Short mmCIF file of all heavy atoms in Angstrom, two decimals:
data_model
loop_
_atom_site.label_atom_id
_atom_site.label_comp_id
_atom_site.label_asym_id
_atom_site.label_seq_id
_atom_site.Cartn_x
_atom_site.Cartn_y
_atom_site.Cartn_z
N ALA A 239 110.20 88.28 108.25
CA ALA A 239 111.34 88.85 107.55
C ALA A 239 111.62 90.26 108.20
O ALA A 239 110.68 90.87 108.52
CB ALA A 239 111.15 89.15 105.95
N ILE A 241 114.16 93.62 107.49
CA ILE A 241 115.09 94.29 106.56
C ILE A 241 115.63 95.54 107.34
O ILE A 241 114.80 96.47 107.50
CB ILE A 241 114.55 94.63 105.24
CG1 ILE A 241 113.89 93.28 104.63
CG2 ILE A 241 115.66 95.09 104.27
CD1 ILE A 241 114.81 92.21 104.30
N ILE A 247 113.03 99.81 98.88
CA ILE A 247 112.40 98.60 98.68
C ILE A 247 111.72 98.60 97.22
O ILE A 247 110.88 99.36 96.92
CB ILE A 247 111.31 98.33 99.60
CG1 ILE A 247 111.95 98.28 101.06
CG2 ILE A 247 110.44 97.06 99.46
CD1 ILE A 247 112.96 97.20 101.20
N PHE A 252 108.99 90.56 97.91
CA PHE A 252 108.33 89.32 98.60
C PHE A 252 107.16 88.81 97.76
O PHE A 252 106.31 88.03 98.28
CB PHE A 252 107.87 89.69 99.93
CG PHE A 252 109.01 89.98 100.92
CD1 PHE A 252 109.12 91.27 101.45
CD2 PHE A 252 109.83 89.02 101.41
CE1 PHE A 252 110.22 91.69 102.37
CE2 PHE A 252 110.87 89.35 102.31
CZ PHE A 252 111.08 90.66 102.75
N VAL A 261 106.36 91.28 108.68
CA VAL A 261 107.55 91.97 108.01
C VAL A 261 107.93 93.32 108.68
O VAL A 261 106.92 94.01 108.99
CB VAL A 261 107.34 92.40 106.54
CG1 VAL A 261 108.34 93.20 105.87
CG2 VAL A 261 107.07 91.14 105.59
N GLU A 262 109.19 93.52 108.82
CA GLU A 262 109.61 94.78 109.56
C GLU A 262 110.66 95.48 108.71
O GLU A 262 111.64 94.71 108.31
CB GLU A 262 110.07 94.54 110.91
CG GLU A 262 110.54 95.84 111.69
CD GLU A 262 110.92 95.58 113.13
OE1 GLU A 262 110.80 94.38 113.54
OE2 GLU A 262 111.48 96.60 113.70
N PHE A 263 110.50 96.68 108.44
CA PHE A 263 111.51 97.54 107.71
C PHE A 263 112.02 98.51 108.79
O PHE A 263 111.25 99.34 109.23
CB PHE A 263 110.95 98.12 106.53
CG PHE A 263 110.52 97.18 105.34
CD1 PHE A 263 109.16 97.15 105.07
CD2 PHE A 263 111.47 96.41 104.77
CE1 PHE A 263 108.71 96.24 104.15
CE2 PHE A 263 110.99 95.51 103.79
CZ PHE A 263 109.75 95.46 103.45
N ALA A 264 113.35 98.52 108.97
CA ALA A 264 113.88 99.49 110.06
C ALA A 264 115.03 100.27 109.48
O ALA A 264 115.58 99.99 108.35
CB ALA A 264 114.20 98.74 111.22
N GLY A 265 115.59 101.15 110.26
CA GLY A 265 116.77 102.01 109.72
C GLY A 265 116.21 103.11 108.74
O GLY A 265 115.06 103.67 109.05
N ASN A 266 116.89 103.22 107.73
CA ASN A 266 116.57 104.14 106.60
C ASN A 266 115.89 103.50 105.45
O ASN A 266 116.15 103.95 104.23
CB ASN A 266 117.71 105.07 106.18
CG ASN A 266 118.09 105.91 107.37
OD1 ASN A 266 117.31 106.51 108.10
ND2 ASN A 266 119.49 106.07 107.59
N ILE A 267 115.27 102.41 105.61
CA ILE A 267 114.64 101.70 104.56
C ILE A 267 113.39 102.46 104.06
O ILE A 267 112.74 103.16 104.88
CB ILE A 267 114.21 100.29 104.92
CG1 ILE A 267 115.38 99.37 105.37
CG2 ILE A 267 113.41 99.52 103.87
CD1 ILE A 267 116.30 99.08 104.30
N ARG A 268 113.13 102.51 102.74
CA ARG A 268 111.98 103.18 102.22
C ARG A 268 111.50 102.67 100.99
O ARG A 268 112.29 101.79 100.40
CB ARG A 268 112.23 104.73 101.95
CG ARG A 268 113.32 105.02 100.90
CD ARG A 268 114.62 105.35 101.54
NE ARG A 268 115.69 105.39 100.54
CZ ARG A 268 116.97 105.27 100.92
NH1 ARG A 268 117.24 105.12 102.14
NH2 ARG A 268 117.94 105.13 99.95
N PHE A 269 110.30 102.94 100.61
CA PHE A 269 109.89 102.34 99.26
C PHE A 269 110.42 103.09 98.16
O PHE A 269 110.64 104.25 98.18
CB PHE A 269 108.28 102.50 99.22
CG PHE A 269 107.52 101.60 100.12
CD1 PHE A 269 106.71 101.94 101.08
CD2 PHE A 269 107.76 100.07 100.09
CE1 PHE A 269 105.94 101.18 101.78
CE2 PHE A 269 107.02 99.24 100.96
CZ PHE A 269 106.22 99.73 101.73
N PHE A 272 108.67 100.57 91.85
CA PHE A 272 108.07 99.32 91.81
C PHE A 272 108.16 98.70 90.46
O PHE A 272 107.69 97.53 90.28
CB PHE A 272 106.65 99.22 92.39
CG PHE A 272 106.52 99.47 93.85
CD1 PHE A 272 105.25 99.64 94.42
CD2 PHE A 272 107.59 99.56 94.67
CE1 PHE A 272 105.09 99.78 95.69
CE2 PHE A 272 107.55 99.74 96.04
CZ PHE A 272 106.24 100.03 96.47
N PRO A 288 105.75 95.04 96.22
CA PRO A 288 106.62 94.25 97.03
C PRO A 288 105.93 93.05 97.63
O PRO A 288 106.68 92.03 97.89
CB PRO A 288 107.13 95.20 98.13
CG PRO A 288 106.95 96.62 97.62
CD PRO A 288 105.73 96.49 96.82
N PHE A 289 104.61 93.13 97.86
CA PHE A 289 103.92 92.16 98.52
C PHE A 289 102.94 91.30 97.70
O PHE A 289 101.98 90.64 98.18
CB PHE A 289 103.36 92.65 99.79
CG PHE A 289 104.28 93.31 100.78
CD1 PHE A 289 104.21 94.74 100.74
CD2 PHE A 289 105.19 92.70 101.49
CE1 PHE A 289 105.01 95.53 101.50
CE2 PHE A 289 106.03 93.46 102.31
CZ PHE A 289 105.94 94.85 102.29
N LEU A 295 99.97 87.48 104.68
CA LEU A 295 100.62 88.53 105.48
C LEU A 295 99.67 89.24 106.31
O LEU A 295 98.56 89.71 105.94
CB LEU A 295 101.16 89.57 104.38
CG LEU A 295 101.96 90.76 104.93
CD1 LEU A 295 103.37 90.30 105.75
CD2 LEU A 295 102.43 91.75 103.87
N LYS A 297 101.05 91.41 109.47
CA LYS A 297 101.47 92.55 110.08
C LYS A 297 102.75 93.18 109.41
O LYS A 297 103.56 92.46 109.08
CB LYS A 297 101.74 92.28 111.58
CG LYS A 297 102.31 93.53 112.37
CD LYS A 297 102.55 93.09 113.85
CE LYS A 297 102.96 94.45 114.54
NZ LYS A 297 103.15 93.97 116.08
N VAL A 298 102.74 94.54 109.25
CA VAL A 298 103.83 95.06 108.53
C VAL A 298 104.21 96.37 109.49
O VAL A 298 103.40 97.08 109.84
CB VAL A 298 103.54 95.60 107.11
CG1 VAL A 298 104.68 96.28 106.66
CG2 VAL A 298 103.13 94.55 106.15
N ILE A 299 105.51 96.42 109.73
CA ILE A 299 106.13 97.57 110.55
C ILE A 299 107.06 98.37 109.66
O ILE A 299 107.95 97.85 109.08
CB ILE A 299 106.80 97.10 111.80
CG1 ILE A 299 105.90 96.33 112.69
CG2 ILE A 299 107.45 98.21 112.51
CD1 ILE A 299 106.62 95.74 113.93
N LEU A 300 106.71 99.64 109.38
CA LEU A 300 107.45 100.47 108.51
C LEU A 300 108.24 101.39 109.36
O LEU A 300 107.83 102.04 110.37
CB LEU A 300 106.55 101.23 107.59
CG LEU A 300 105.63 100.35 106.71
CD1 LEU A 300 104.74 101.20 105.83
CD2 LEU A 300 106.45 99.34 105.87
N GLY A 301 109.43 101.79 108.92
CA GLY A 301 110.36 102.64 109.63
C GLY A 301 110.13 104.08 109.61
O GLY A 301 108.98 104.53 109.08
N SER A 302 111.16 104.91 109.73
CA SER A 302 110.99 106.39 109.93
C SER A 302 111.05 107.01 108.61
O SER A 302 110.78 108.32 108.59
CB SER A 302 112.16 106.97 110.81
OG SER A 302 113.41 106.53 110.15
N LEU A 303 111.24 106.44 107.47
CA LEU A 303 111.22 107.18 106.14
C LEU A 303 110.09 106.78 105.27
O LEU A 303 110.07 107.26 104.04
CB LEU A 303 112.56 106.79 105.45
CG LEU A 303 113.91 107.29 106.16
CD1 LEU A 303 115.03 106.99 105.18
CD2 LEU A 303 113.82 108.78 106.40
N PHE A 304 109.10 106.19 105.87
CA PHE A 304 107.89 105.84 105.05
C PHE A 304 106.77 106.86 105.10
O PHE A 304 105.76 106.74 105.69
CB PHE A 304 107.42 104.45 105.47
CG PHE A 304 108.18 103.26 105.20
CD1 PHE A 304 109.27 102.87 106.01
CD2 PHE A 304 108.14 102.54 104.03
CE1 PHE A 304 110.21 101.80 105.77
CE2 PHE A 304 108.96 101.56 103.67
CZ PHE A 304 109.93 101.19 104.51
N GLU A 305 107.05 108.04 104.47
CA GLU A 305 106.10 109.14 104.50
C GLU A 305 104.97 108.90 103.39
O GLU A 305 103.89 109.49 103.43
CB GLU A 305 106.79 110.46 104.29
CG GLU A 305 107.66 110.84 105.39
CD GLU A 305 108.26 112.21 105.16
OE1 GLU A 305 108.12 112.84 104.06
OE2 GLU A 305 108.95 112.81 106.00
N THR A 306 105.26 107.99 102.44
CA THR A 306 104.40 107.70 101.27
C THR A 306 104.17 106.19 101.32
O THR A 306 105.07 105.35 101.28
CB THR A 306 104.98 108.19 100.03
OG1 THR A 306 105.01 109.54 100.00
CG2 THR A 306 104.07 107.71 98.94
N ILE A 307 102.93 105.73 101.14
CA ILE A 307 102.57 104.43 100.77
C ILE A 307 102.23 104.41 99.34
O ILE A 307 101.31 104.94 98.99
CB ILE A 307 101.38 103.84 101.64
CG1 ILE A 307 101.63 104.04 103.06
CG2 ILE A 307 101.11 102.36 101.32
CD1 ILE A 307 102.74 103.31 103.73
N PRO A 308 103.05 103.86 98.51
CA PRO A 308 102.90 103.90 96.97
C PRO A 308 101.78 103.15 96.47
O PRO A 308 101.10 102.38 97.22
CB PRO A 308 104.24 103.39 96.47
CG PRO A 308 105.17 103.42 97.60
CD PRO A 308 104.33 103.20 98.83
N THR A 311 100.56 99.13 97.09
CA THR A 311 101.61 98.47 97.93
C THR A 311 101.06 97.24 98.56
O THR A 311 101.61 96.14 98.69
CB THR A 311 102.10 99.43 99.00
OG1 THR A 311 102.71 100.58 98.30
CG2 THR A 311 103.13 98.75 99.85
N PHE A 312 99.83 97.40 99.15
CA PHE A 312 99.29 96.29 100.03
C PHE A 312 98.01 95.75 99.36
O PHE A 312 97.19 95.09 99.96
CB PHE A 312 98.98 96.70 101.37
CG PHE A 312 100.17 97.23 102.11
CD1 PHE A 312 100.37 98.47 102.39
CD2 PHE A 312 101.20 96.28 102.70
CE1 PHE A 312 101.55 98.96 103.14
CE2 PHE A 312 102.25 96.71 103.36
CZ PHE A 312 102.40 98.05 103.52
N LEU A 318 95.91 90.70 105.68
CA LEU A 318 96.61 91.89 106.38
C LEU A 318 95.67 92.58 107.47
O LEU A 318 94.64 93.01 107.19
CB LEU A 318 97.05 93.00 105.39
CG LEU A 318 97.94 94.14 105.90
CD1 LEU A 318 99.27 93.55 106.53
CD2 LEU A 318 98.15 95.15 104.78
N GLU A 320 97.28 94.64 110.25
CA GLU A 320 97.84 95.76 110.92
C GLU A 320 99.10 96.27 110.17
O GLU A 320 99.93 95.53 109.75
CB GLU A 320 98.34 95.44 112.36
CG GLU A 320 98.92 96.46 113.22
CD GLU A 320 99.38 96.08 114.53
OE1 GLU A 320 99.18 94.96 114.78
OE2 GLU A 320 100.11 96.96 115.29
N VAL A 321 99.12 97.63 110.00
CA VAL A 321 100.23 98.32 109.49
C VAL A 321 100.63 99.45 110.33
O VAL A 321 99.77 100.30 110.64
CB VAL A 321 100.08 98.83 107.96
CG1 VAL A 321 101.23 99.65 107.55
CG2 VAL A 321 99.72 97.66 107.04
N THR A 322 101.87 99.58 110.87
CA THR A 322 102.24 100.64 111.61
C THR A 322 103.45 101.37 110.99
O THR A 322 104.27 100.73 110.32
CB THR A 322 102.72 100.18 113.15
OG1 THR A 322 103.80 99.36 112.94
CG2 THR A 322 101.66 99.45 113.77
N VAL A 323 103.47 102.73 111.15
CA VAL A 323 104.58 103.54 110.57
C VAL A 323 105.17 104.42 111.71
O VAL A 323 104.50 105.04 112.41
CB VAL A 323 103.97 104.43 109.53
CG1 VAL A 323 105.07 105.35 108.91
CG2 VAL A 323 103.26 103.60 108.41
N ASP A 324 106.54 104.29 111.61
CA ASP A 324 107.27 105.12 112.65
C ASP A 324 107.69 106.47 112.25
O ASP A 324 108.85 106.88 112.23
CB ASP A 324 108.55 104.31 112.99
CG ASP A 324 109.29 104.89 114.28
OD1 ASP A 324 108.51 105.58 114.92
OD2 ASP A 324 110.47 104.61 114.46
N CYS A 325 106.78 107.14 111.59
CA CYS A 325 106.95 108.55 111.16
C CYS A 325 105.55 109.23 110.73
O CYS A 325 104.59 108.55 110.90
CB CYS A 325 107.88 108.61 109.85
SG CYS A 325 107.02 107.92 108.30
N GLU A 326 105.55 110.54 110.44
CA GLU A 326 104.31 111.14 110.07
C GLU A 326 104.00 110.85 108.63
O GLU A 326 104.75 111.26 107.65
CB GLU A 326 104.43 112.60 110.24
CG GLU A 326 104.45 113.07 111.70
CD GLU A 326 104.41 114.52 111.83
OE1 GLU A 326 104.45 115.27 110.92
OE2 GLU A 326 104.09 115.03 112.97
N LEU A 327 103.06 110.02 108.45
CA LEU A 327 102.57 109.66 107.13
C LEU A 327 101.86 110.77 106.47
O LEU A 327 101.09 111.38 106.92
CB LEU A 327 101.58 108.34 107.08
CG LEU A 327 101.20 107.73 105.89
CD1 LEU A 327 102.28 107.11 105.17
CD2 LEU A 327 100.16 106.55 106.21
N ASN A 329 101.21 110.70 102.55
CA ASN A 329 100.78 110.46 101.24
C ASN A 329 100.38 108.97 101.15
O ASN A 329 101.24 108.09 101.28
CB ASN A 329 101.81 110.77 100.08
CG ASN A 329 101.14 110.67 98.70
OD1 ASN A 329 100.11 110.64 98.50
ND2 ASN A 329 102.07 110.47 97.85
N ILE A 330 99.10 108.79 100.85
CA ILE A 330 98.65 107.31 100.66
C ILE A 330 98.10 107.29 99.18
O ILE A 330 97.20 107.84 98.91
CB ILE A 330 97.51 106.95 101.62
CG1 ILE A 330 98.04 107.06 102.95
CG2 ILE A 330 97.08 105.52 101.40
CD1 ILE A 330 96.99 106.83 104.10
N ALA A 334 96.50 101.69 97.64
CA ALA A 334 97.49 101.25 98.56
C ALA A 334 97.10 100.24 99.46
O ALA A 334 97.87 99.18 99.81
CB ALA A 334 97.99 102.40 99.42
N PHE A 335 95.80 100.24 100.00
CA PHE A 335 95.33 99.13 100.84
C PHE A 335 94.02 98.56 100.22
O PHE A 335 93.31 97.83 101.07
CB PHE A 335 94.97 99.75 102.25
CG PHE A 335 96.16 100.26 103.01
CD1 PHE A 335 96.71 101.47 102.95
CD2 PHE A 335 96.90 99.38 103.73
CE1 PHE A 335 97.73 102.05 103.67
CE2 PHE A 335 98.07 99.81 104.50
CZ PHE A 335 98.42 101.04 104.37
N VAL A 344 95.51 100.86 111.11
CA VAL A 344 96.17 101.51 110.04
C VAL A 344 96.86 102.77 110.77
O VAL A 344 96.60 103.12 111.84
CB VAL A 344 95.37 102.05 108.99
CG1 VAL A 344 94.64 100.91 108.24
CG2 VAL A 344 94.24 102.98 109.56
N PRO A 345 97.95 103.24 110.09
CA PRO A 345 98.66 104.44 110.61
C PRO A 345 97.72 105.58 110.84
O PRO A 345 96.73 105.71 110.30
CB PRO A 345 99.75 104.67 109.57
CG PRO A 345 99.86 103.45 108.77
CD PRO A 345 98.50 102.83 108.81
#
Side-chain angles (χ1 to χ4, degrees):
I241 310 294
I247 298 302
F252 291 108
V261 175
E262 180 178 356
F263 297 112
N266 292 323
I267 300 292
R268 64 256 167 205
F269 287 126
F272 291 173
F289 308 104
L295 185 62
K297 182 177 181 179
V298 177
I299 300 175
L300 303 177
S302 59
L303 294 184
F304 290 89
E305 294 184 350
T306 294
I307 307 295
T311 299
F312 301 103
L318 185 64
E320 180 182 356
V321 176
T322 61
V323 180
D324 189 23
C325 68
E326 290 189 346
L327 187 62
N329 182 24
I330 302 174
F335 294 91
V344 294

